[in-house]
Amino acid sequence: MTSTLGHTLLGLLAARPSTGYDLARRLRRPVGYFWSAGHSQIYPELARLEGDGLLRHSVVAGAGPRDTKRYRVTAAGRRALRAWLLATTPDVDEREILLRVYLLFALSPAEAVAVVEAVREHHRRTLAEFLTHRTDDDAATQEWGPDVTSRTTLEWGITFEEGRIRWCEGILADLRRRLAESLVNPPSPPR
């Protein structure tokens, strides 16, 4: 079974072939803003993915005295990446949701819509649950104590969920616009 790091590497390689060094750099920035992996994890994972037939490498001249490997994802690797993205469930860590959304380019816009709709629905359910715990008590008039801090924490959760829902809706609007444009102006067939 391919790990989150393995799927991330497949996604980065689906965007463009890269060396291990390039992958480590891309994992630091921009991916590192929301998900991270240790440099020492990358090369063993690349070897495992290659052993599983999910990627291949070619040897290219390196900047130093040694040649270097440039990796590219295989058709089997693209299928594994797609399956992982389509299996996105809301019960994964929020950082992993961000990672999966970052890699949605590997899906069709219609498939990406389904994934983001599932994420948005999760946040809607969580928000609804938080709202059932909200009381009309004004935390500012309560005596300092657990009720005040509990209310403050609940308000953070409500604000967080509302923001995530808006984020999903923005992504969905963009994807739906792209889908509508592709129906009006379908891409030219390859020559």
Side-chain angles (χ1 to χ4, degrees):
M1 173 162 246
T2 303
S3 66
T4 300
L5 173 59
H7 286 108
T8 303
L9 293 172
L10 291 173
L12 293 174
L13 291 168
R16 68 178 176 270
S18 301
T19 65
Y21 176 82
D22 291 335
L23 289 166
R25 187 176 43 77
R26 289 165 63 200
L27 281 170
R28 277 192 306 278
R29 297 292 177 264
V31 176
Y33 290 123
F34 52 86
W35 189 85
S36 63
H39 186 80
S40 62
Q41 298 170 284
I42 295 169
Y43 290 98
E45 188 66 17
L46 288 170
R48 194 184 66 69
L49 292 168
E50 188 163 29
D52 291 345
L54 302 177
L55 59 85
R56 296 281 178 254
H57 79 270
S58 57
V59 177
V60 295
R66 294 188 190 136
D67 289 337
T68 190
K69 294 178 180 178
R70 177 165 292 127
Y71 297 91
R72 64 175 177 74
V73 69
T74 63
R78 287 184 190 279
R79 285 191 302 274
L81 175 62
R82 279 187 79 256
W84 181 69
L85 291 170
L86 289 170
T88 297
T89 59
D91 61 344
V92 299
D93 179 90
E94 280 298 318
R95 294 175 316 123
E96 188 172 319
I97 290 289
L98 288 170
L99 177 63
R100 289 174 186 235
V101 169
Y102 181 79
L103 299 173
L104 281 180
F105 68 86
L107 299 177
S108 72
E111 292 169 325
V113 164
V115 169
V116 176
E117 283 177 338
V119 172
R120 180 185 62 183
E121 187 55 34
H122 164 72
H123 289 295
R124 283 181 172 169
R125 283 191 308 271
T126 304
L127 175 62
E129 182 177 333
F130 285 173
L131 290 173
T132 65
H133 296 290
R134 182 189 251 174
T135 63
D136 292 331
D137 299 340
D138 184 359
T141 62
Q142 294 177 2
E143 184 176 323
W144 179 252
D147 290 339
V148 173
T149 55
S150 175
R151 168 78 183 250
T152 301
T153 305
L154 179 62
E155 291 301 325
W156 176 87
I158 290 168
T159 301
F160 176 83
E161 294 303 328
E162 290 170 339
R164 286 294 193 235
I165 292 166
R166 280 191 307 276
W167 175 70
C168 288
E169 288 171 350
I171 295 168
L172 289 168
D174 180 59
L175 287 168
R176 288 183 176 123
R177 178 187 56 79
R178 291 173 187 280
L179 273 169
E181 288 173 359
S182 70
L183 294 175
V184 172
N185 301 315
S188 302
R191 295 178 190 206

